[in-house]
Amino acid sequence: MTIERAAIIGLGLLGGSIGLAVQARGLGITTTGWDRDPQVRAKAAERGLVGRVCDTAAEAVASADLVILCVPVGAMGDAARELAPGLSPHAIISDVGSSKEAVADALSAALPGACIIPAHPVAGTEQSGPEAGFATLFAGRWCIITPPDGVDPAALAALSDFWTALGSKVELMDAAHHDLVLAVTSHIPHLIAYTIVGTASDLEDVTQSEVIKYSAGGFRDFTRIAASDPVMWRDVFLTNRGAVLEMLGRFSEDLTALQRAIRSGDGETLFDLFTRTRAIRRQVIEQGQDDERPDFGRGHGE
Ligand code: NAP
């Protein structure tokens, strides 16, 4: 099974980047796309995010052998119902949603009997919309595919090959395990960033202008994450509720332990933890997951 025609539903950061990557890498795959917002469709056509921007979802997916839903996770069911009338019976339906169990349920409810193989490229930025996409977003990044039981091996191989061709490293994972792993590596960090930025903006004895003026002390790194799309992240927390609450419970316990260490002047506990976390940062860099330049490579006025 080879993919010759791919349809992209939702032409924001992820959808646009897939369309651009397919074209930039010269994969010989024809792309069509649709987004519910006419202004997004117009911008997508102007930027050439896909070969052809269609007026309806059904038109976009007609004769596609791969359909990728790139909409917020809470909109997956609606988007799938919208495209259903045009779907070829042989098409592979996939997505890029950040939570996987809920999306798998929504897609199978909307498209009973279809070949559904959810996936999550662990690649993104805090930007969204049709202007945000770029062709190299997936290069060297992981794409986690969460195949359901009894998946067609040829369809799974075709989807894996597709992501590999976009430059991704592919990993297969059970959907529930994916949701737990991503809760700790992505969802909780976003929640912490949203919280700290919210707390700082609500303070009474430290002004907002002081928070912004002295943000280089660490705060500004949280503001990047806390600038992420509100719709996308609302949906992530609502659809990955169980795993997020489980990890949040663990995090709260660890935070309370640190609070106790600070209150009781237990420097050893603080030092030991900070030494362990420094080693994690080294591993992130060694495994090519981030730039090793200090302060994320910021120029500091050079
Ligand atoms: P985005 O830039 O906001 O793009 C999503 C697009 O989908 C928007 O144009 C939106 O239009 C459209 N849309 C919403 N509901 C729709 C529907 N029912 N039918 C058709 N189009 C619809 O978001 P994104 O960052 O690309 O995220 C898309 C998906 O990728 C999400 O599921 C997210 O969890 C996942 N993801 C994101 C990242 C990241 O870092 N951003 C990384 C990995 C995975 P409106 O503006 O009109 O709502």
Side-chain angles (χ1 to χ4, degrees), residues 9-15 34-37 40 69-73 75-76 78-79 82 95-99 120-130 132 229 231-233 236:
I9 304 299
L11 294 169
L13 170 66
L14 269 286
W34 178 77
D35 192 288
R36 66 170 180 183
D37 182 343
V40 172
L69 286 95
C70 302
V71 301
V73 285
M76 291 287 175
D78 282 349
E82 185 92 26
D95 75 299
V96 294
S98 306
S99 58
H120 175 205
V122 186
T125 75
E126 68 281 15
Q127 313 270 326
S128 55
D229 192 76
V231 172
M232 168 186 159
W233 283 97
V236 168

Side-chain angles (χ1 to χ4, degrees), residues 154-202:
L156 177 58
L159 184 66
S160 298
D161 289 350
F162 176 81
W163 279 106
T164 306
L166 294 194
S168 291
K169 302 178 281 186
V170 170
E171 181 106 338
L172 303 186
M173 211 181 271
D174 168 72
H177 189 64
H178 164 279
D179 288 356
L180 208 56
V181 172
L182 270 291
V184 74
T185 56
S186 170
H187 307 169
I188 298 292
H190 276 78
L191 199 68
I192 294 168
Y194 283 124
T195 312
I196 185 70
V197 175
T199 303
S201 72
D202 290 342

